[in-house]
Every structure is written in C-alpha cells, then in structure tokens.
Amino acid sequence: MSALGALLATRSESGSTGMRSRILLGLVCGGYSVGAAFGWGSPQVAVFMGDFGLAAAALVAAVSCFLYARTGAGRLRPAWLLFSLSSAMAACGNAVWGWYEVILGVPVPTPSLADVFFLCFAPPAIVGLLVLAKRPVTRAGWVCLALDAWLIGGSLLTLAWSLALAHTAHMAGFQEASVAPAALSLAYPLLDIVLVSMVLALHFRRAGVNRSAVNTAIAALALTVLSDAVFTSPLLRSTYHSGQLLDAGWFAGSLLLAYAPWGARRGARRPVRPGPPRAIASRPIAGSLAALTPYLAAAVCTLGILYNVVDGRRVDRVVIFTGCTVVLALVVRQGIMLLDNISLTQELAQKENHFRSLVQGSSDVIMIAAPNGTLRYVSPAAAGVYGREAEDLVGAELSSIIHPDDLGRVVHEVRRFLAAPPHEEPTTRIECRFRSGTGDWLNVESTVNRHQGGLLLNSRDVTERVRLQAQLQHNAEHDPLTDLPNRALFTARVRQALSGRRSGDPGTAVLFIDLDGFKQVNDTIGHQAGDELLIQAGRRLQESVRAGDTAARLGGDEFAALIMGDGTRDQGAREYQVHEIADRLRLTLSQPYRIGASEVRVAASIGVAFAEPAISPTDLMRNADLAMYRAKAGGKDRVELYAPQMQADVVRRSELATRLRTALRDGEFALLHQPVVHLASGSVAAVAAQARWRSAQGILFTPAEFLRVSGDDDRTAQLGRWLLEEAVAQAAERARAGHPVAVSVRLSAARLLDSAPPPGSVEALLTRHGLPSGALMIEVADSDPRVSFDALEQRLVALRRLGVRIALDGFGSGFAAINALRRLPIDVLKLDRNLVEGVVESARLHKITSGLLRIACDLGLQSVADGVDVPEQVLALRAMGCTHGQGMAFSGPLDEYRLRRALVRGEFPVPGIPAPRPVMAGGSIPLLAGSHTETPVPPT
C-alpha cells in the first residue's frame, strides 16, 4: 500500500491526468470493498487485511501528508502535518490490533494500547481542521465559531445520547468494575461527535487557498468519522470482527486523505483558460446551509427530547442540559448576528452616502445606459457640464445627444467593446461631441464599463483641452506672423498631393517666391515695417491662389504656393497656365505696399517646378528653389521654370567650391600681373595683381570663374588676404631687384570693412615687407549696395593717411557710382570694361565714356580704361582724355619672369605714336586692378 501512495504521488508530480489517478484510487478502494464483502476467501486473510491492510492505508496517508507539507504547502503546512500525525496514530492503532489478532492469535483486550492510539486520532485532526478554516478577523467571529461548533456538537450529542449513549452510561453505573470499558465506549462516540462538529462547522468556513485539497481532506475525515459512528453503535459493536465490510470505509478514508494534497497540486498546475468567470452553484447552497445551521441544531435537539418522550422514558438530565445549552448558544449567536447585521447595515448606509456624495459632487457625469441605449441614470453633474438637468436626460436615447458625425464611430467602438472578453478589455475610452443645453456641441471624453448588459459611462468635458490641442497644432503648422502654413505643413501638403489620387497628375506645380529688395526695407524703415510688409504680402498671396491650392511662408521673405493639377495632359498648355498664374502673383506682389505714411515697393522672383513621375516632395521643392535662384540671378522680378540643367549647374558649382577649398589649403593659387600702360607714352605705369587658380590639369581659372561659384564667404575672405599679402611681398621683392613699379590690388568694399583682420593689417604688411606705402593702390569694387558709405569712407581715409592710393573700380556700372565719387577719397577712376568694349562702335557709349572722362579730368583724377583690347580703342580713349589703359592691346597677365622682362623693356608700342624709346618703368599712378574676365594665360 505504501507503493500505491508513492505511485499516486509520482503520477501527480509527473503531470498525469487526474482522471487516471481517480480511476486507480477507485479501483483499489473497490477491490478492497469486494474482498471485505466476500470475507477475503478465508478468516486468516480477512483478519490480516482488516488489521494490517488498514494500518498500511493509514501509513500511506501519513507519509503522503508529511511529504506534501515538506514540499510546499504554504501557510497550510501545519494542517497537513497534523493530518499526517492523525493518520500515523490510526496506523499504529491498527498495527497493535493486528499484533493481538494475527501475531499472538488472542482477542484484543479492553482497554489496550490500540485504544490509546485510536483515541489520539481525533485531536490532531480537529486542530488540523481549525488550521484549514478561514480564521475570523474579530473576537465576535471567534465566539460565533465556538457557538457554531457547540450547536452542531450539542445537537449530535443530544441525539446520540438519546439513542445509545444513555444506555451505555446506565450500564456502566451497574457494573462499576467495568468503568474503563464503559469510558472507552463513551470516548469514541464523543470524539467522533466533536470531529463531526468541526467538519460541519468548518466546511462553511474553509479557506480559499488550495480549495480542492481542503475539500478532499474534509471528505476523507468525514468518511472516517462515519465509519467510526457505525462501529460504535451497540448493534454492530458486539458482532464486529476484523475483515468486515466496515473496514472498507476506513480504508477508503485513508487513501482519500493520501490523494488529497497531490490531486490538488495537479489541479493547480493545470493551465487556466481565459474566459469569463462562471458562477459557482455550490456557493448559494453553502451559504443557505450555513445560515440554517443554528436552526438545524435546535431541531436535532428537539428530536432527541421527543424520542425520549415518545418512547415513554424519562427525559435524561444530560439531554435537558445539553438542549438548554444549545438553545442558549443559539440565542447568544443570534444576538451577535443581530448586532453584526446592525453594524453592517450602518456601514452599508454610510458607504452608500459616501458613494452618493461622490457621484453627486463629482465634476464628471456618470450615466447608466440600458442595453437598448436608453439612459436609466444620469448624475446631477450633468447640469453643470452639459447645461441640461439630469431628469431631462433620463429616459432619452444616448444616440440623441451624440453628434451625427460621431455616431457611427461611437456605435462601432461600443459594439467592438461589448464583443471583446471582459477580462481582456474591462474598459474603453470614447471621445465624441455631446449636445449641450444651449445647442452647442461639447467635446466629451467617456470611460465606458459594462453594467448589467448595458453601459456605465463616466464622462467629462474636454472642450477646452481639444481647443488648446487644436490651437497648438495650428501654431505648430502655421507661421506666427502671416498665419500662412509653414514649411512643415507645406511639405506635408506637397507629399499628400504627390501620393493621393492625383499622384500621377503632371500639372501639379510648386512655386517658390522671394521678395527682392525686402532687406532694404528692413534696413531703411525698420523691422516692424518689414513685418507689416510680410503680412500684407502673405494676405495678397492667400487671396490670389485658388481654393484648392496652398499658400505658405517658408521663412524670412520666402513664400511658396502649391498649385494643384486639373488633370490636363497637355504639358505645354499646363505650363502656360501655371506660368500665367505665377506671373499674376509676381505682379500682385510687386504692387506698392502702404505701410504707415510710406509707400514701399518690392519685386518678386518666382521659381516654378512641375511634378514628375515618382518625384519626392523634397526634390520637387528643391527644383522650385533652384528655379527661384535662377530668376534672381537672371535679373530678379521674373518667373523662371525649372530645367534639369539647373541641377547640373548646382552640382558643378558644388564640386568646384569643394575643389576651391582644397586649392586654398594646398596652395594651388598663382599670382599674375597685368601692366597698366600710359596711353601717351606707352610706358608701364603700374601692374595690376590678379589671382589665378592652377588646377590639377594645368588649367588657369580666372577670378570671374571660380569666385562666382565659391559660395563661401570665409574662403573668399581667405583668398583676398592671400592676394593682398602675396602682391605686397612680390612688389617689395621686385623693388629690391631694381624694378620699383607700383602694384594694384582689387578688394571689395565688404572685404575692406571686414572686422576679422586688425585695422592696421595693410600697414603691417607694408612694414613687414619693406614696401613704400605709395607703391600700393587699393581698387574698391563698387558692387554691394548694402555697404555703409560712412564706414567705407572712414576706412579709406585711414588708408590714405598711410599713403595708400585709392581707385574706384568699375566706374560707370554701379548704381551708387556718383554717390561714391562724391563722398569717397578717390585718386583714380577705373572705367568699366563694358563701356570700353563699345566705345568705338556705339556713339551713345562714346558720349557716355567721354562724359565720364571729362568728370575725372575736372576733378583732377587720373583714369584707367579696363579691357583695352584693340588699337582703335586706344586711339578713341586717348582722344577722349583717358590717361592709362590696361588690356590685350598691350599685354595680358604675366607671370613674374615675363613681367620683369617687360619692365626691363619699359614701354609698349602705342598706336598713333612713334616707336618707343627704351626707358625704365615709371609713371605717376599707383598700382591698378585689372579685369577679372581676361582670357586665361597658358601655364609656364
């Protein structure tokens, strides 16, 4: 039998199915019952199985409970240890009983050691049941537990005393010599009554932990007690012998107790399938039986007394005393329950008041909707939140207060929520619009729960939050000054246009718009006026585009427009249409702006790019940006359509700019000089320093070629510093070699005002290289209108104090040439080569050039004509009074070796003048800057 217990434990531990364990348990118990019913075939086997068989079954139960208590029974571990001890007592009692009957072959004496072990079976089991029970949390609960136990025990004692125990006690009174056997006869039923009382009383108070094991253990003890009760009855006690069918009850009780913990562990390890909780049918029945327990106990006492009365016997004092104590316990218990009910009623009323106060005082609206959507309850907060009384909403359809546009979405969400398992999604959140009492629509957020087949909604007004979110979203996507869409929203609209149902429409176009002259507005009349101009420009742009198009401000004075296609497949017609729209926008934005009392004018340069198959929003916007910059470079105030060549130019300029930065770092620049010749004598008056970039292929690039694409102010400034320092150094070296000719360096006005170099940098260069200050001339490039004349004037005056001569480069082409001539300290006027090129062919240019030279003569200034390439130009310029010339008619830019040879020769042949006499270089003017568009000179 111990092997059977180990087998049960092993199978349970290994995860065998519970059905196999229960079938095996039933087969073993059934086999024992069949053997006992047929007397096991012989009296000797019957006695052996009736004694040692029961001892083995009880030992299996003891070992099983002990092993389970050691492996992890949790807080119920003491109970299983007590059950193990109780079963061990039963095993010892049956073993002693078998020792007498099987080994010694004599009847079991009364009393004997077996009776001691049997009497010790009940107390550990009773204490173990107390451990299994749910412990009361109050003192009144402990009192009620004791009263319940006494109600059951007293009633059973009354009935048992009336039926059998009174007779046993009466017989003991006549046989004083047999007091011990009589006491044993009373002890067995009394302990059984106590054990039965605990089983019944604690059955309704069992703990929720490991409920299956507890129920099985209680059933095992109940079966054992039932067998004990049958055994102690006078009718069976006198005729009992080992091996009878009654032993099957004890055997089954022991094996059931052995199975209890392991069968429960198997159930605990079985995975629980998720699903809705099912109501347990036994709980209402158990609650009803627990409530009827006191009355059933009183009924049993009454039956005991009636039995004595009907039988005609005198009512026993034990029955009277026990019945009175049972009734007294019932009264006390009912009194305690009444006080407990009063306390619970008061607590329930207090909680209900608290709940009602929370519901009525909550700022959220609590609504209960029936399964058909009718509102059955609405909290009073509806008056403050919805502006509607709760009574007006009760009975209304929930759908009647929801916005029609939101109703479909709400119904879909509610259906989905109700179809989901409650344990997976206990609540959901729905946001929609509710109709308020004033007829407005409020944004309401509701937490929805299930409630008796319907819905429980906890709603709150989130209108302000929704408005704030919408405002924040608007601010994130719109320009704060003009309220037009910003770059992020415009990019999203372009992406939507390229990916929507019109994604293949080639008529979709993007316009990039830049306001020409906007910086002058900021510099002249202030940034506030500039902001007002941008606001008006944004308003004009918004009013000029169509309803389906998008106007946006990208930043600064840059705007953009998205022109949606109309499905036209004629690309030429579509380009013409969009070009007309862009030109209309240009004219609209170029109209005068009224700002305060002033009237301001700006122009608009617009670049247009059309959508192409599979083009990305970034590429489309980049194309429009390139076209816009091409429009600005082409003269501004114009519309330019994107062409693929523009991107190629950008790539080329980027590559060239990268190579330029590398050339500056690696020292790939060379310095050439072009002679400046006196037109009357042909002598070399000065040399103009010019930078050339010698590429890796040996090609010399002129400044007009590489400065135009550098796009890097830092590199341009670095190149200017290198040119000035190299020109001064080589001029000083030539002077020391016997060729003291002046050198001219062309610098932009912005470069002269650059704060990066120290103010005394020119003086420091002259001092460091030992070049006289009169041998250096600075050519000021009059090409940047943003430069302040006041600052430039102060800078040039400081340079003239050092002895540096100043020349005005490009005279006749700059818009501020006359103003510069009036304010700046100028020594030399250098005519722009555009005037010189047409001075022979164009009578108009001839007159203009003649007038400019007359101005220079009247002001006492010397003049230099740049780009003198043919003899006819030399004759015409000399006839007009021009004093010096520079160009291919005399010489191109020379390297140092050729320049020195030219200086040794001293003169160049001049048309219309006899052959020159060999004289040394000289002249009365300082160094002059040459043209930046000269023909490249092959490397030497």
Side-chain angles (χ1 to χ4, degrees):
M1 302 309 294
S2 60
L4 175 63
L7 176 63
L8 291 176
T10 303
R11 286 186 177 273
S12 298
E13 283 292 325
S14 61
S16 302
T17 60
M19 184 60 68
R20 292 183 179 180
S21 300
R22 287 192 287 270
I23 290 176
L24 181 60
L25 179 64
L27 289 176
V28 173
C29 294
Y32 189 92
S33 300
V34 171
F38 290 98
W40 295 103
S42 68
Q44 293 80 11
V45 177
V47 172
F48 182 84
M49 294 301 296
D51 294 336
F52 289 109
L54 294 181
L59 182 61
V60 169
V63 173
S64 176
C65 293
F66 179 76
L67 291 178
Y68 179 71
R70 290 189 60 186
T71 55
R75 73 173 188 86
L76 301 182
R77 182 170 180 268
W80 295 106
L81 289 176
L82 290 170
F83 290 154
S84 175
L85 177 61
S86 177
S87 299
M89 293 296 102
C92 292
N94 285 301
V96 173
W97 198 285
W99 174 265
Y100 282 106
E101 288 188 339
V102 178
I103 304 300
L104 301 180
V106 298
V108 181
T110 303
S112 67
L113 184 60
D115 294 319
V116 176
F117 285 118
F118 285 140
L119 290 176
C120 291
F121 167 79
I126 294 172
V127 179
L129 289 173
L130 286 173
V131 175
L132 287 179
K134 184 187 298 183
R135 299 178 182 178
V137 295
T138 61
R139 188 176 302 173
W142 284 104
V143 175
C144 288
L145 177 60
L147 292 175
D148 288 342
W150 173 244
L151 284 172
I152 298 174
S155 61
L156 295 178
L157 177 61
T158 301
L159 185 60
W161 189 272
S162 300
L163 295 176
L165 296 182
H167 177 73
T168 303
H170 182 70
M171 295 300 296
F174 289 102
Q175 302 174 2
E176 296 181 359
S178 59
V179 174
L184 287 175
S185 299
L186 292 175
Y188 280 113
L190 290 177
L191 287 174
D192 288 338
I193 288 173
V194 174
L195 189 56
V196 170
S197 301
M198 295 305 302
V199 168
L200 293 178
L202 298 176
H203 174 68
F204 307 113
R205 292 176 175 267
R206 60 186 182 274
V209 181
N210 214 347
R211 186 180 297 275
S212 177
V214 173
N215 289 339
T216 307
I218 291 176
L221 294 176
L223 183 59
T224 303
V225 171
L226 179 61
S227 300
D228 287 345
V230 175
F231 171 75
T232 56
S233 64
L235 182 62
L236 186 62
R237 178 66 180 269
S238 59
T239 61
Y240 171 79
H241 61 83
S242 299
Q244 287 185 345
L245 186 60
L246 180 61
D247 294 343
W250 285 312
F251 184 83
S254 296
L255 288 188
L256 193 61
L257 184 61
Y259 170 79
W262 306 105
R265 170 174 288 190
R266 174 199 51 75
R269 289 184 176 182
R270 183 180 303 166
V272 180
R273 294 182 180 179
R278 296 180 297 176
I280 301 176
S282 62
R283 290 184 180 178
I285 299 176
S288 301
L289 291 176
L292 293 175
T293 299
Y295 306 102
L296 293 175
V300 171
C301 287
T302 304
L303 287 177
I305 297 173
L306 289 177
Y307 175 79
N308 285 276
V309 173
V310 172
D311 197 30
R313 293 182 292 177
R314 182 175 59 87
V315 179
D316 194 279
R317 286 177 294 178
V318 175
V319 175
I320 295 297
F321 176 77
T322 305
C324 291
T325 55
V326 169
V327 173
L328 180 61
L330 176 61
V331 173
V332 174
R333 187 184 186 283
Q334 291 302 104
I336 293 175
M337 293 302 297
L338 179 62
L339 294 176
D340 195 20
N341 288 339
I342 293 174
S343 176
L344 290 176
T345 303
Q346 293 176 350
E347 184 179 356
L348 180 61
Q350 185 179 6
K351 290 183 178 180
E352 183 178 358
N353 291 333
H354 288 171
F355 173 75
R356 189 178 301 275
S357 300
L358 288 174
V359 171
Q360 294 181 353
S362 174
S363 59
D364 294 350
V365 180
I366 300 175
M367 300 184 295
I368 299 177
N372 60 358
T374 304
L375 294 175
R376 296 187 304 188
Y377 172 80
V378 179
S379 65
V385 176
Y386 301 152
R388 303 176 65 177
E389 295 297 332
E391 294 78 7
D392 298 338
L393 291 173
V394 173
E397 294 288 337
L398 181 61
S399 59
S400 64
I401 62 175
I402 298 178
H403 196 283
D405 295 342
D406 300 339
L407 185 58
R409 176 173 53 83
V410 172
V411 171
H412 179 269
E413 175 62 21
V414 169
R415 288 177 178 174
R416 185 202 60 79
F417 170 66
L418 294 178
H423 68 279
E424 291 183 358
E425 190 173 4
T427 62
T428 188
R429 189 178 65 87
I430 297 177
E431 188 170 328
C432 60
R433 286 168 288 179
F434 278 8
R435 186 188 300 275
S436 67
T438 59
D440 298 330
W441 294 101
L442 303 176
N443 293 93
V444 176
E445 181 186 65
S446 301
T447 302
V448 184
N449 296 269
R450 298 172 180 85
H451 178 74
Q452 298 178 359
L455 299 174
L456 174 64
L457 297 94
N458 189 355
S459 306
R460 63 201 61 88
D461 183 10
V462 293
T463 303
E464 291 301 324
R465 188 193 72 187
V466 172
R467 289 177 181 172
L468 179 59
Q469 289 177 346
Q471 184 62 40
L472 292 176
Q473 183 71 19
H474 180 85
N475 293 343
E477 295 179 342
H478 289 76
D479 175 58
L481 182 63
T482 62
D483 202 38
L484 292 176
N486 59 13
R487 183 181 293 273
L489 181 57
F490 184 77
T491 304
R493 296 275 179 87
V494 174
R495 182 179 295 106
Q496 182 180 2
L498 296 180
S499 60
R501 60 185 179 88
R502 294 184 176 180
S503 57
D505 190 350
T508 300
V510 170
L511 280 62
F512 265 43
I513 307 165
D514 186 84
L515 300 181
D516 303 322
F518 174 74
K519 179 155 185 17
Q520 284 76 14
V521 175
N522 271 344
D523 294 340
T524 54
I525 60 178
H527 290 275
Q528 186 174 357
D531 291 344
E532 179 62 27
L533 188 149
L534 291 175
I535 294 174
Q536 294 185 26
R539 189 180 304 119
R540 292 184 186 182
L541 181 61
Q542 182 67 41
E543 294 173 352
S544 300
V545 298
R546 302 172 303 178
D549 300 335
T550 300
R553 181 190 177 209
L554 305 183
D557 60 342
E558 291 188 357
F559 293 85
L562 172 64
I563 308 299
M564 301 298 296
D566 56 2
T568 302
R569 292 297 175 182
D570 187 351
Q571 186 66 17
R574 182 57 181 164
E575 289 184 0
Y576 178 77
Q577 181 183 3
V578 174
H579 193 282
E580 277 194 337
I581 295 174
D583 200 56
R584 187 171 64 251
L585 289 177
R586 181 187 63 81
L587 294 175
T588 301
L589 294 175
S590 300
Q591 295 297 319
Y593 294 85
R594 174 62 62 179
I595 300 177
S598 303
E599 187 177 86
V600 179
R601 289 179 178 270
V602 293
S605 296
I606 302 178
V608 182
F610 287 92
E612 300 173 358
I615 192 172
S616 66
T618 304
D619 291 342
L620 181 58
M621 295 173 63
R622 180 206 60 197
N623 294 345
D625 196 22
L626 291 176
M628 184 266 291
Y629 277 106
R630 178 60 64 91
K632 293 179 70 68
K636 303 181 180 179
D637 193 18
R638 55 183 296 175
V639 176
E640 190 78 30
L641 297 181
Y642 170 77
Q645 182 60 34
M646 297 180 183
Q647 178 63 22
D649 292 342
V650 171
V651 173
R652 185 180 63 82
R653 286 196 299 268
S654 177
E655 293 177 352
L656 191 56
T658 304
R659 292 168 56 192
L660 176 61
R661 288 191 292 271
T662 304
L664 283 171
R665 185 183 65 247
D666 298 341
E668 296 180 2
F669 280 90
L671 187 64
L672 302 181
H673 295 83
Q674 188 172 26
V676 178
V677 179
H678 195 282
L679 296 183
S681 62
S683 61
V684 179
V687 292
Q690 299 177 6
R692 293 291 187 271
W693 175 23
R694 189 186 304 274
S695 67
Q697 293 77 21
I699 301 175
L700 288 176
F701 291 99
T702 64
E705 293 172 321
F706 61 76
L707 290 180
R708 182 176 64 249
V709 301
S710 65
D712 192 335
D713 292 339
D714 292 338
R715 297 295 180 268
T716 303
Q718 183 179 354
L719 180 61
R721 288 193 292 271
W722 175 86
L723 176 63
L724 178 62
E725 183 169 0
E726 193 70 14
V728 171
Q730 291 191 16
E733 186 177 350
R734 282 192 300 272
R736 288 191 291 271
H739 307 288
V741 63
V743 62
S744 172
V745 180
R746 184 178 186 273
L747 296 176
S748 66
R751 173 73 186 90
L752 285 171
L753 296 178
D754 188 6
S755 58
S761 59
V762 175
E763 182 180 13
L765 284 174
L766 297 175
T767 303
R768 183 166 64 250
H769 294 286
L771 183 69
S773 59
L776 174 64
M777 186 174 73
I778 300 295
E779 297 180 5
V780 181
D782 178 32
S783 60
D784 193 350
R786 297 172 297 179
V787 174
S788 171
F789 267 103
D790 294 336
L792 182 60
E793 181 181 6
Q794 294 177 5
R795 178 64 174 155
L796 295 181
V797 168
L799 289 175
R800 286 196 70 186
R801 289 173 182 168
L802 297 176
V804 178
R805 305 293 299 276
I806 306 298
L808 183 60
D809 185 41
F811 185 71
S813 62
F815 69 93
I818 301 301
N819 192 27
L821 189 62
R822 179 177 63 88
R823 298 185 55 183
L824 300 181
I826 303 300
D827 299 304
V828 178
L829 286 181
K830 191 169 185 179
L831 294 178
D832 186 75
R833 70 177 296 114
N834 292 324
L835 295 176
V836 176
E837 286 177 354
V839 72
V840 177
E841 295 82 0
S842 173
R844 186 181 183 87
L845 285 179
H846 188 279
K847 293 181 179 180
I848 294 174
T849 306
S850 177
L852 294 175
L853 291 173
R854 201 161 36 248
I855 293 174
C857 182
D858 293 341
L859 293 176
L861 303 178
Q862 293 183 339
S863 56
V864 177
D866 189 12
V868 182
D869 297 332
V870 295
E872 292 79 5
Q873 294 173 347
V874 177
L875 296 175
L877 290 170
R878 187 172 56 191
M880 295 178 191
C882 182
T883 58
H884 297 81
Q886 170 186 343
M888 297 302 295
F890 306 107
S891 173
L894 305 175
D895 59 15
E896 187 66 20
Y897 173 75
R898 294 181 179 180
L899 175 62
R900 294 195 179 191
R901 289 181 58 186
L903 293 178
V904 170
R905 189 172 62 248
E907 293 182 358
F908 288 94
V910 178
I913 298 180
R917 301 182 303 276
V919 294
M920 294 300 295
S924 59
I925 65 172
L927 149 135
L928 304 171
S931 170
H932 291 271
T933 56
E934 310 295 346
T935 303
V937 177
T940 57

